[in-house]
Amino acid sequence: MSTQEQAVAVARRLLIDGQLVETGRTLASLDPATGEIYGYAPEAGVAEVDAAVAAARRAFDGTDWATNPEFRARCLDQLYTALRENVEELRALTIAEVGATKALTHANQLETPIEIVRYYADLLKTYDFTEDLGNVEIRGQQHHRWVEKEAAGVVAAIAAYNYPHQLAFAKLAPALAAGCTVVLKGAPDTPLATLAIGEIIANHTDIPAGVVNVLASSDVEVGKRMTTHPDVDVVTFTGSTPVGRQIMAAASGTLKKVFLELGGKSAAIVLDDADYTKAAVFAAFSIVTHAGQGCALTTRLLVPRKDHDQVAQLVAANFAHVKHGDPNDPATYMGPLISEQQREKVDGLVRRAVEAGATLVTGGKKLDPGFFYAPTLLANVDPDSEIAQEEVFGPVLALIPYDDDDDAVRIANNSIYGLSGGVFSADSERAKAIARRVRTGTFSINGGNYFSPDAPFGGYKQSGIGREMGRVGLEEFLQLKTLAEVLP
């Protein structure tokens, strides 16, 4: 490794037991807009996992972190302040490593996630960890009963690459607020974004050693160890459904609490009374947000059969106005995919869709340099086909015709996933009736935005188990202890 590479690696270190450390092994991070190496991170192995879990266990069992909510709130306030003070450095890092556009860092890629920390700091100041159940008479005696909500223990948190700050803080902030200790591992494609959080915690907060440990690794054994370690009490994972299944199976050996935020193949239903122009704008610009690398994006667009071609033309016209390129340019709307491997996957799905009978209206090609892919519209898509069933994670929209409202709901629910969805209609009550029939954890009506720190996020079916954010996001990290005493 060159001197320059060593300097970059030192700039981002693992956080284990309160110390910023290196490992002697490095993990390269690419700039997806250029395809060139952006930096290096120390790569953790199983030994670092064991050290991090041991530190988290000591901090949970041997300090008052779990029982001192006032201190936890102060530490979260410190973390929020430090994140705001370092936001420009984090912005530059997020643009370069994640491929996020500058505009998106002012929203869900960075600044909205930072607000998650403030939300849980504030919630912690008012949340009641005790619930009184009152008295009950049993055999002539009064028994007082109550419930105490206790921290669940040591948390193994594993995040995906697409929104690394959002995923990290949606796990880290409520876990810390609950009184848990955490071992957090970022994705191997975006290690520096996650390690930067560890450095801020180490340098700018009073969070005790071992309470937060932050790792980076591409070694599958690291993830396996985190999910099977006997001293880990809770596993939280965001990523693909196939990996989520593996994690759930791995954690079953010790009956860990597991909650998962997994894939999606969400449908937006355009009813026959909708404003097609507005629906087309929403569909087109949603699917190219972060180059389609979002699990909750509506990747299927369901339209009345008689108006299928009209809507296809409207969406294609909007795609023509999507500016891609340098994510640092404020005018850029769509950045790159995360890697060449992901771009090949997306291209393969598009090619097979056309071979299976879908109509390629626009796009379907790689854009160089970097890992860009053209906004792509596939029309006349069979709702049972691969492109309508598999998560693409790219800027690809499948246009599917339907016959009536019942047919639209049937197609929308024809998926192993149930993460999100949407409906467009001039009739609010009709739209709400459709929304209630679609089995998903989140839903947008006429473009309504549900995403914020106080709103629970998660899915039905194979889109996951549990919810992140909101009060319920805190409660995912709590255990309930019911107590009773005989009154004199």
Side-chain angles (χ1 to χ4, degrees):
M1 189 168 61
S2 70
T3 302
Q4 181 180 4
E5 291 171 353
Q6 288 176 343
V8 175
V10 168
R12 290 287 177 258
R13 292 170 286 175
L14 311 181
L15 176 60
I16 300 176
D17 202 10
Q19 300 298 313
L20 296 170
V21 300
E22 299 177 62
T23 63
R25 304 176 302 278
T26 56
L27 178 63
S29 174
L30 301 183
D31 179 342
T34 65
E36 299 175 354
I37 291 176
Y38 169 69
Y40 294 82
E43 181 157 32
V46 171
E48 283 75 29
V49 174
D50 288 345
V53 172
R57 186 83 259 167
R58 286 193 301 272
F60 186 80
D61 294 338
T63 75
D64 71 344
W65 177 259
T67 58
N68 191 340
E70 293 80 11
F71 178 53
R72 300 200 301 269
R74 180 162 66 84
C75 288
L76 284 171
D77 281 334
Q78 290 174 338
L79 177 57
Y80 174 76
T81 299
L83 291 167
R84 294 301 315 173
E85 290 174 348
N86 289 273
V87 71
E88 293 308 321
E89 179 185 355
L90 291 171
R91 192 186 318 282
L93 172 59
T94 307
I95 292 169
E97 184 180 50
V98 185
T101 61
K102 192 168 190 175
L104 201 53
T105 65
H106 287 278
N108 292 355
Q109 276 289 6
L110 179 59
E111 298 209 25
T112 299
I114 289 174
E115 294 305 312
I116 296 173
V117 178
R118 184 173 71 172
Y119 170 80
Y120 283 106
D122 291 343
L123 179 61
L124 189 52
K125 297 165 190 173
T126 61
Y127 188 83
D128 192 348
F129 286 88
T130 301
E131 179 185 358
D132 195 299
L133 300 180
N135 298 342
V136 63
E137 183 177 336
I138 301 175
R139 295 174 183 173
Q141 288 185 302
Q142 289 292 319
H143 298 253
H144 179 226
R145 302 140 325 122
W146 71 98
V147 175
E148 293 184 0
K149 303 171 187 179
E150 301 178 344
V154 175
V155 175
I158 303 174
Y161 67 78
N162 54 331
Y163 285 83
H165 297 301
Q166 163 64 35
L167 301 177
F169 292 133
K171 300 177 188 305
L172 189 61
L176 296 179
C180 294
T181 58
V182 182
V183 179
L184 170 67
K185 187 184 85 68
D189 292 301
T190 54
L192 302 178
T194 307
L195 294 183
I197 298 170
E199 290 197 355
I200 289 173
I201 288 171
N203 294 328
H204 300 286
T205 77
D206 294 325
I207 294 175
V211 168
V212 179
N213 306 270
V214 186
L215 307 179
S217 184
S218 61
D219 186 349
V220 295
E221 295 303 318
V222 164
K224 289 180 181 178
R225 183 61 173 162
M226 289 178 67
T227 56
T228 58
H229 198 294
D231 282 336
V232 168
D233 301 294
V234 179
V235 176
T236 171
F237 168 77
T238 297
S240 72
T241 293
V243 176
R245 295 189 196 112
Q246 295 173 10
I247 287 174
M248 193 170 181
S252 68
T254 49
L255 290 181
K256 302 182 191 308
K257 181 175 183 179
V258 175
F259 64 101
L260 308 167
E261 200 272 284
L262 305 176
K265 192 67 186 177
S266 303
I269 301 170
V270 182
L271 297 182
D272 56 13
D273 64 349
D275 183 327
Y276 287 176
T277 299
K278 290 182 179 178
V281 169
F282 181 91
F285 284 89
S286 293
I287 197 63
V288 298
T289 299
H290 197 36
Q293 298 170 114
C295 53
L297 294 176
T298 46
T299 57
R300 295 179 292 159
L301 185 63
L302 280 50
V303 298
R305 192 175 300 277
K306 65 183 179 63
D307 299 317
H308 171 277
D309 293 350
Q310 177 188 351
V311 176
Q313 292 174 3
L314 290 170
V315 173
N318 280 290
F319 275 169
H321 296 293
V322 174
K323 176 178 171 55
H324 77 278
D326 181 4
N328 280 289
D329 184 345
T332 297
Y333 192 88
M334 189 186 80
L337 294 168
I338 193 65
S339 66
E340 181 59 27
Q341 179 183 12
Q342 181 61 21
R343 187 164 70 162
E344 286 291 336
K345 176 191 172 184
V346 171
D347 192 53
L349 283 162
V350 171
R351 286 186 286 102
R352 291 195 298 275
V354 174
E355 291 168 1
T359 302
L360 179 62
V361 179
T362 187
K365 60 184 178 181
K366 300 176 182 179
L367 303 171
D368 297 318
F371 307 134
F372 292 88
Y373 198 80
T376 299
L377 177 62
L378 295 165
N380 295 300
V381 170
D382 181 339
D384 294 318
S385 65
E386 179 189 41
I387 199 66
Q389 293 292 322
E390 295 294 323
E391 188 173 41
V392 178
F393 241 52
V396 179
L397 184 64
L399 193 64
I400 302 174
Y402 69 84
D403 295 320
D404 55 27
D405 287 10
D406 289 342
D407 191 37
V409 171
R410 180 190 63 80
I411 293 171
N413 285 330
N414 176 29
S415 173
I416 66 169
Y417 301 110
L419 187 55
S420 193
V423 64
F424 292 87
S425 174
D427 185 336
S428 176
E429 293 307 311
R430 183 185 179 195
K432 291 175 186 176
I434 291 288
R436 293 183 180 113
R437 295 174 64 190
V438 179
R439 292 187 54 76
T440 62
T442 57
F443 206 86
S444 170
I445 297 173
N446 288 322
N449 186 357
Y450 52 79
F451 198 80
S452 67
D454 63 341
F457 180 81
Y460 290 18
K461 300 189 279 187
Q462 294 189 40
S463 283
I465 299 172
R467 294 294 183 270
E468 292 186 330
M469 299 193 295
R471 289 178 65 90
V472 70
L474 171 68
E475 290 164 351
E476 292 283 4
F477 295 100
L478 296 173
Q479 288 282 19
L480 303 183
K481 178 177 288 182
T482 303
L483 301 96
E485 66 175 345
V486 177
L487 296 179

